[in-house]
Each structure stands twice: as structure tokens, then as C-alpha cells.
Amino acid sequence: MEKKRMEEDASASQPTASAEKLPFSPAQLLASIVECSDIAIVTKSLDGLIATWNSGAERLYGYRAEEVLGKSVDFLIPSGQPDELPSIMGRLQRGELIEHYETVRVRKDGGLIDISLTVSPIKSGDGTVIGASTIACDIAERRRIEAEHERLLQLAREQNQRLQAQNEELQAQAEEIQAQQEELRAQNEQLLAQTAELSHANTALLVSERRAEALAGELERERDILQAIMENTSAHLCYLDRQLNFVRVNSTYAAGSGHSAAELIGRNHFELFPNAENQAIFERVRETGEAIQYLAKPFEFSDQPWRGVTYWDWTLTPIKGVDGQVEGLVLSLVDVTEDVRARMRIEELAEEARRRADELDSVFAAMSDVVVVYDAGGTVVRANPAALAAYGLNSVNISREAIGEKLVIRYPDGQPAPLDDLPVARALRGEMVTNRRFIFRDASGHDVTVDASASPLMADGQIRGAVAVWRDVTEREQLLARVQLERQRMEEMIHLIAHDVRQPLTVARGHAQFMQRSLMRGDLERARVSAETIEVSARRLEVMIRDMVDSARLEVGQLQLERQPLDMEAFVRDSLMRLSVALDVSRVRIEVVSPVSAYADPNRLERVLGNLISNAIKYCEPGGEIVVRIQERGHKAMVSVSDQGPGIGPEDLPHLFERGYRAAGEHKSEGLGLGLYIARLLVEAHGGRIWCESEEGKGSSFCFSLPSQ
């Protein structure tokens, strides 16, 4: 009776030109949307008798509508809460709106469920409260996610502490290996007198190398665990240092902020997202060491005004050092904007349907999901802008068959979906369809993955049409695919490290044994060659460990740059002189197109230049010239290293600066394949760019540019 009276009140409003064209009233359309909603929506009289009960309520509580209509709602309230219903009804009679009231209800099977209630008074035309509308959401999953988040956060802290300790131990082991190599060289001068001592030092060296290898593997595994924790959660996670600068963010946080991870790392949170209220909260947590939590807290991105007000469930947790002082903050955000906006949208629709049916167009147009209304014959009579854009239509009055010809609609397995099996066709046959997955090609030619729902529009017991809602889930599916790809790449990297680190250790171990036998025979020359080979292998191992440590630091933004003004010509000449100790730079020619200076860290920049020149020497044809060109281009200091080597295929160019990548057909090279990857991270840390220009058979030019001084 209550539902019928609401429909009569809504239909009594002054009709508009758009409403007269429909075979059903706006109230009927609203009722269908409410019935199609996943949220439990119930209306009741002031004495607590249930008037309406949608399908969302059936799924939440387990009762069918015919089982509860006309009954008092108190059978849903646990026996231990006798005062709750009178309190709620009393507040409603005073015209109060009850929002986000968290409580417990009893399902039909006797189980208890945690829910969040929003209860609105229903008023008559003269403002008298005549009933109540209740919107209930199951919050059990949210509470489970919060508990899981806290568990993951604790695990991340523990993993971070272990990583830090193991990194320090690995560094100490590397220094120990270097010291032992110095001892080997000194002992080589007194071979005949100190054979026994050399054998002992060699044994200690082998043990240390094994420990270094094991620690390197453990460090990589711990990093993988931490990375997996951060990337395999839907929460937006970031870690800030004590000065509130970004240290680490997961990809979900970067995407949600509208910035790349590189743009965030090292920047102050409140320089990017100024908000005095939030800054005060962050500083309070930092000073008190007490965590804080908010639900559906509004926030506006000052640099992204088009996003409007967004809503977030967020937790701010301090990370304390061994001395109990706060060293940083972990911020966990869950974007509930869509949930809040959905609740707001339902409330707005209900209010506007009671007051002014002619404002339905604005609400209809504001929906981000594709919403289409069909008449009983399957012709589109109403569509929101999202639907018009997706279908490539300028107007309605087009049949679903014609739409089917415009759109290529498929099942997730790629098989064509017949028109008769689409949700709207089934709704026109009287069925209600919820969240069916389809893929269709939109008007722009892109494949879009959607969850489609549809419901029949009933009037006088007859099907008068149908409403269909399509939600775009393409980005979520693509994100899952990217996570899987990154996990595969990490596994390949671990395998590569295990393989390449073992080779110099094996060489050093074999020559140490050979040197021991040579010394016992008195063959000093062969012992000297073995000692030099051991030293070369140790240097290779040291470079590999340094590459792994530096790449890890660069990835989390922990590598500090000591910038200073640099005359690029002088810098390149000085660097070549230092590189000449380890590289044959006699074929390298410097060409200054135009003098230019940059503001950069000379030590880090020399590593970039050394890597590029080393690669050019390795791949250049014998006798070929290598040119280092310096110039100013577009207010940038640009340096290029050009060789006359075989060139690089176009299929390899986009991947050259990726971690562990080696070009197809490249001969087996030393190292972990991190050189160009680290060069890219160092250049980008300076705010610059690095790239390669190459043509097969004509050589390659590796270029980087930095902001000029």
C-alpha cells in the first residue's frame, strides 16, 4: 500500500514533455531502479510495519518480500537491542535523517550480519512524517578488509626491518670480501713463506662468498615479498618519511592520485596535495605516535579540479624506530567515492522523484554508468550521455537490433553474444539480470569489458519496457593483467640473478684451488695468474651487488643526489680521463656542438656516461670511432654517445631500459642486465630523459638530456 501511495504521489506531479513520451511514470522508473539495486532498500510505516522490500533486501536478510510485507520490522533486530527500534522511530518522527548507523541484524537463517543503515523520513505534501525509508549495506567485507590491511601493514613493517638488517649485513660481507682480496695480494709477495696462511684465507673467502650469495638471494626474496604485499591489494598505499615526503607508493596509489610514481617519490605530500586540515592530522600522528582512522572522508584534489569531491576510508599509522621515535607514516586509502556517490545518487533520485519529476534528466545524465531505457518493443526511448557516447548515437528512438549491428558484443571467452541472450532482451521477457559480463566494441573502436544488469518495467501487470545498466570494468581487468605480468618479470629476474652471480663465484673458487696446487708445486707464475683471475671475478661480483643495491634504492627513492653546477664539456673530459683506467677510450672523440651546463650529481652522472661508453666500446666495430656529442637543445643539456656497431632492431628499442632486458640475438654478456635500467633511473631522478636512436647496420646513439643550468 505504501509503495502504491508513493507512486500516486509522484505521478501527481506536473508532467513534462519528456515524461509524456514514456509509457511509464518517473516513479515507476525509480521503483525499477530501486528493485534492480544491490543495496537493501526497505520502507515502513511509523508503527514499524514493512511497506516495501526490494531484491537487495531479499539477498541481505534472506526473506522474500511476501514473507515480510505488512509485518513489524522488529523481527530483524537481535533480542539484546530492545530499545533500538523505538529510538530510531522517535528520531524519524522528529524529522531527523539517520546516516551511517552501524548495527547488527538477524538473517532468516538465524545468523547475525554487520550492516550500515541510512534511514530517511518519508514526508507527505504538507511536510508530515508518514513513514521511513531504510538503506542497508553489508559492512562485513569492509571490516574484514580493515583487519587484513592491518595484518599486511604489520607484515610490511617486519619485512622492511629484516630487509634493512640484511642489506647492512650484505654490505659488510662485500667489504669483508674486498679486504680479503687485499690480503691475498699481499700474501702473494710472500708465497713461499705463507702458503699455509694463504690456504686458510682462501677457505674463509669461499665461505664468505657463499654467505654473500645466500644473503643476496634472501634480500631479493624479501624485496619481492614486500613488493607483492603492496601491489596485490586494492588499497592505495604509500610510505612517508618524517618530513612527510613520499618514499614509496604502490601503483594503485599512483593511479588514484593522478600522478606517476616517479612524480610522487621524493615530493612533499602537502606540496602536491595542499590541505591544512589533513596536514594538521598527519603532524599530530607524527608527534603523538597514535594511529588515526576516518571513514568516507571528503577530499578535493587542488591540481585536479575536474575530479570534484572524492571520498576515502583512510588509516594513518606511525612507523617507529627501535628508540620508539616515529620515523615515518604509512597511509592506507580506500576509494569509496563511487559508494558514497551511489548512496547520494539514490537519495537524490528518491527526493527528486517525490518533488520534481522534470529534474530526472539531470540525475539521469550525471550517472557515469551506461543507462538505457527501452519500450516494450525494444526501442531505445531514453539514454544517458554515457550510453549515447558508448553507442555512438546522437539521439534515441533506435531499436536494440540496430544497436546490435553497431556494436560487436561478445562473451568473455570471445564468442559472439546473440541479441536474445543480452540482459535487455531477457528483461523484456520478464527476467531480472544482474552483473552479466560482456565485451563490446564502443563507438571509438575500443573493446570495453562491462558488467550488465537489466530489469523489466512493469505497469498494470504488463511489461511496458526495460531498463539496462552497464558498468565499465575494463580498467580493473587490465590492472589484474598488469599485476600478473609484473609478477612474471620478477620471477625471471630472480632466475637471472641466481644464474649470473653463480658464474664469478665458480671461477674464483676454481682458480683458488688451482692457485693452492700451484703454490705447493712452487709455480709462482701460474699462482699469480690465478690470483688475478680471482680479483677480476671479485670485481664482477662487487659490480653485480652494487647494481642490485643501487637499483633497489632508486626504485624506492632512497638514493640521495648531491647536485652541483656542471660544465658538461669539462665534466665529460674529466670522466673520460678517469674511465681510461678501466676502458680503452682512445677511439672516443668529444664533439661540442654548443657549450651547456647542468645542475647534477657528478658521481651519479659519471656512472651513466661510463655505462653508455662501455656499451659503445663493446659493440662498436674494431677500429670504429665513438663520438660523444654535447649540445643545448630546447633549454636542455643533451649528451649523446654514438657508435658504429651493428645497430638495434626496432622490436628491441622500446625495452632497452627495462630491468634485466637483453636484446634478441645479443651474445651472452656479463652482469645482470641492470646497466641501462640503472642509467634510466639515475637520469629520471635528475628530472631528465634517456633514449636510444638506432638503425640496424648503421650503429646506435644513446642520448640523455637534463635541465640546463
Side-chain angles (χ1 to χ4, degrees), residues 561 608 640 699:
L561 298 179
V608 174
S640 63

Side-chain angles (χ1 to χ4, degrees), residues 60-63 75-79 104-114:
L60 182 62
Y61 298 115
Y63 292 94
F75 69 90
L76 295 174
I77 301 175
S79 58
V104 178
R105 288 293 180 261
V106 181
R107 287 178 49 86
K108 182 178 180 181
D109 58 11
L112 299 179
I113 54 173
D114 295 316

